[in-house]
Amino acid sequence: MPASTIKISDGKSEGQMPLVGFGLWKVTNETCADQVYNAIKVGYRHFDGAYVYGNEKECGQGVARAIKDGLAKREDLFIVTKLWNYYHGKEHVEKLCKMQLEMWGLDYFDLYLIHFPIALKYVEPKAKYPPDFQDENGKCEDPKAPHGAPIHETWPEMEKLVEKKLTRFIGVSNFNVQTLLDLLRYAKIRPAANQVEHHPYMQQPRLIKFCQDNGIVVTAYSSFGAQSYIELDSKKAIDTKPLLEHDTIKKIGGSKSKTPAQVLLRWATQRNICVIPKSNNPQRLAQNLDSTSWDLSEQELKDINALERNLRFNDPYDRNATLVAIFANYLLIDVILFAIPRLLAIAWFPDIRNSICSVDSIRALMEAERAVGVADPAEIQSPVEHKMQVQCRRVVSVLQIIVGFLIGSVTMVHIILALRVRKYATDLQKRENERELVLEECEEQLMTESYKSYHDYDETKDEI
């Protein structure tokens, strides 16, 4: 029977983490305690919360009632919560963690995550709860004047939480490979988990592989894709066909007598990725929990993988363009040096056009190339795909050199023209100064001659 848990380790200690958890994002305060209680009653043992969700007190009430009624023991549960962006400073990490423990009514967490790899201006908990990406006055962070601590200052404070037994494990959320590589270089206690957006429309395969190769458990949020963001009026989500209604997902579910939701969850758990769905329907609660006792075929996994669109739904910048662009990847120079050469390659070379046929594929390839330190593409691609990848890289490299040369040439021409214009202006000013000097000399000479002529006239007149 397939395993229902996965090993979690920080390099110093290890434990077991349930593959299927109950997500607490957007669970209302009015129903939260009952939903947590009912989830425990159905069989859930893994609960994923966060300070920013604003419902941790109610979550704790549900847990306390379930323990009191004998539905579970504390050591049977795996409680996860997160450090919000306001509290990355050295003096704030432990204080917030203890405050959250008090809300939950617990002595320790099982996993404590840094919610986002950014630090915002500190805001007193009493001044704004629940928090968000704006300060207590509703103003957004000024990207030119960032506040808070860098991750290399926050992480040692996270490690102290483990040492003081306030949490069993520590980890991160929404971290990419570059950020993880940096963190792993100085962490005394390794991050045990990384929670990221992961569904068939946004698979991030290189990030997943890097984490798993380095012993970092991956937890997928938004397993159903756009479903959670439609009610937030996300245009991207509204304009996207829901995964739960996708023909591929429905067909696979029908062939196995499983719901589309179960198919999406098993697609992740079968690859040792934790999931954290939620529901207030007892039947769906049980169905979602049953996402580890059966398997998808290799062909079914491939069919779901083929739905990749590199489509991220959880981007605060999409909902408010004044917020920090957390997931921004592409600047103008990226477009010039990366996107344009790839588009030219697709237009000019039929083989590459057949292999890489969409802008989404180009962006996915760009993201993959930036995931430093992952395995060679040949390890996860067929020989034909790898050959096409190599051909594309060669052509793109040449085009990048050409585009870079053109940019350099244009820059040099601009500099040369600017220098020539400046020299011309200087020469023109010099000639103007010389002209004025000559005019002054001529005027002075004329005046001198006029005065002399007038003096000679007076002398002649006196003689007469």
Side-chain angles (χ1 to χ4, degrees):
M1 181 177 177
S4 60
T5 62
I6 186 173
K7 185 178 83 171
I8 181 170
S9 172
D10 59 11
K12 294 180 180 293
S13 59
E14 62 182 49
Q16 291 295 316
M17 180 176 178
L19 277 167
V20 181
F22 187 88
L24 296 162
W25 180 43
K26 294 194 303 178
V27 177
T28 64
N29 298 82
E30 294 75 20
T31 65
C32 188
D34 288 337
Q35 287 199 51
V36 170
Y37 180 88
N38 291 331
I40 294 176
K41 192 173 183 178
V42 170
Y44 284 83
R45 295 296 180 264
H46 170 184
F47 291 87
D48 183 83
Y51 184 71
V52 72
Y53 299 165
N55 55 14
E56 292 191 292
K57 181 179 179 180
E58 292 75 13
C59 292
Q61 291 170 351
V63 168
R65 180 150 54 100
I67 293 176
K68 181 180 178 181
D69 291 351
L71 299 181
K73 298 178 181 179
R74 170 63 186 95
E75 55 267 27
D76 298 331
L77 302 177
F78 195 95
I79 308 297
V80 184
T81 190
K82 307 174 190 77
L83 175 76
W84 186 242
N85 309 332
Y86 296 162
Y87 309 105
H88 283 206
K90 293 180 179 181
E91 65 276 26
H92 304 311
V93 175
E94 184 177 331
K95 287 182 181 178
L96 185 72
C97 181
K98 287 181 176 179
M99 184 187 301
Q100 291 174 274
L101 285 170
E102 185 177 346
M103 288 180 172
W104 279 85
L106 300 175
D107 296 325
Y108 67 92
F109 292 121
D110 293 277
L111 178 61
Y112 195 67
L113 307 176
I114 294 177
H115 207 146
F116 282 98
I118 59 169
L120 299 178
K121 178 185 176 183
Y122 174 73
V123 175
E124 282 282 349
K126 293 181 180 180
K128 185 167 188 176
Y129 182 80
D132 54 29
F133 286 91
Q134 299 168 327
D135 64 20
E136 66 272 32
N137 299 315
K139 295 183 179 180
C140 294
E141 178 79 45
D142 181 1
K144 297 179 181 178
H147 298 275
I151 298 299
H152 69 81
E153 290 184 9
T154 304
W155 192 252
E157 301 306 313
M158 295 285 287
E159 293 173 330
K160 290 177 183 178
L161 301 181
V162 178
E163 295 167 356
K164 294 182 180 181
K165 301 187 183 304
L166 299 178
T167 183
R168 293 172 59 206
F169 300 99
I170 51 177
V172 296
S173 179
N174 297 299
F175 274 48
N176 59 22
V177 172
Q178 297 94 318
T179 317
L180 285 170
L181 278 170
D182 182 64
L183 174 57
L184 289 172
R185 278 166 170 75
Y186 54 77
K188 295 179 181 178
I189 299 178
R190 294 166 60 85
N194 185 20
Q195 187 175 127
V196 298
E197 181 175 345
H198 180 69
H199 47 77
Y201 286 160
M202 181 70 180
Q203 298 176 28
Q204 306 192 79
R206 297 295 181 85
L207 173 59
I208 302 299
K209 190 174 191 309
F210 176 84
C211 290
Q212 293 181 337
D213 286 349
N214 286 274
I216 300 173
V217 171
V218 176
T219 297
Y221 66 75
S222 301
S223 294
F224 303 145
Q227 192 72 18
S228 298
Y229 302 91
I230 293 175
E231 62 190 75
L232 299 178
D233 294 326
S234 167
K235 186 177 185 304
K236 191 186 297 183
I238 294 171
D239 294 344
T240 302
K241 184 172 184 177
L243 280 167
L244 293 173
E245 299 175 12
H246 199 285
D247 293 340
T248 299
I249 305 300
K250 291 167 66 177
K251 180 181 177 182
I252 294 173
S255 69
K256 294 183 174 297
S257 300
K258 301 294 182 182
T259 66
Q262 286 177 300
V263 172
L264 292 168
L265 295 175
R266 186 54 182 151
W267 172 75
T269 61
Q270 190 167 324
R271 294 177 294 120
N272 290 320
I273 296 173
C274 295
V275 292
I276 45 175
K278 71 171 182 289
S279 176
N280 56 9
N281 182 298
Q283 183 180 2
R284 285 199 294 270
L285 274 174
Q287 289 173 344
N288 291 345
L289 190 59
D290 181 26
S291 299
T292 59
S293 63
W294 52 280
D295 285 336
L296 296 166
S297 69
E298 287 299 319
Q299 185 57 50
E300 288 167 338
L301 288 172
K302 289 181 180 179
D303 291 342
I304 298 175
N305 291 343
L307 302 181
E308 169 70 277
R309 294 176 60 181
N310 197 35
L311 185 57
R312 185 187 299 278
F313 294 109
N314 184 33
D315 190 343
Y317 190 78
D318 289 341
R319 300 191 287 275
N320 186 341
T322 63
L323 299 176
V324 177
I326 301 169
F327 298 109
N329 285 322
Y330 311 112
L331 303 175
L332 178 59
I333 192 66
D334 292 320
V335 176
I336 295 173
L337 294 179
F338 290 91
I340 291 177
R342 280 168 172 74
L343 292 173
L344 291 174
I346 291 171
W348 293 346
F349 298 90
D351 289 342
I352 293 175
R353 182 167 64 247
N354 294 334
S355 176
I356 306 174
C357 55
S358 70
V359 174
D360 286 337
S361 297
I362 297 170
R363 292 182 64 189
L365 177 59
M366 291 165 63
E367 181 171 337
E369 288 180 339
R370 295 184 179 198
V372 184
V374 298
D376 187 86
E379 296 180 12
I380 56 175
Q381 294 177 325
S382 68
V384 174
E385 290 174 329
H386 181 53
K387 183 178 180 180
M388 297 305 299
Q389 182 88 13
V390 172
Q391 290 178 355
C392 178
R393 287 176 185 276
R394 288 173 179 171
V395 173
V396 167
S397 296
V398 173
L399 290 173
Q400 285 175 343
I401 293 172
I402 294 173
V403 172
F405 175 77
L406 291 174
I407 293 173
S409 299
V410 170
T411 303
M412 288 301 298
V413 169
H414 176 76
I415 293 172
I416 292 171
L417 288 175
L419 291 174
R420 293 194 64 177
V421 168
R422 183 176 179 180
K423 185 176 183 303
Y424 174 77
T426 302
D427 291 344
L428 188 63
Q429 183 65 42
K430 184 178 179 181
R431 287 196 295 271
E432 183 66 22
N433 292 339
E434 291 176 350
R435 177 175 170 276
E436 290 180 0
L437 185 60
V438 169
L439 288 174
E440 288 177 0
E441 291 177 351
C442 291
E443 184 178 352
E444 185 178 347
Q445 185 176 357
L446 285 173
M447 290 182 64
T448 302
E449 290 178 355
S450 298
Y451 176 78
K452 185 178 179 181
S453 298
Y454 180 75
H455 183 69
D456 291 345
Y457 171 77
D458 282 348
E459 288 181 351
T460 304
K461 182 178 178 182
D462 291 340
E463 289 177 359
I464 294 174

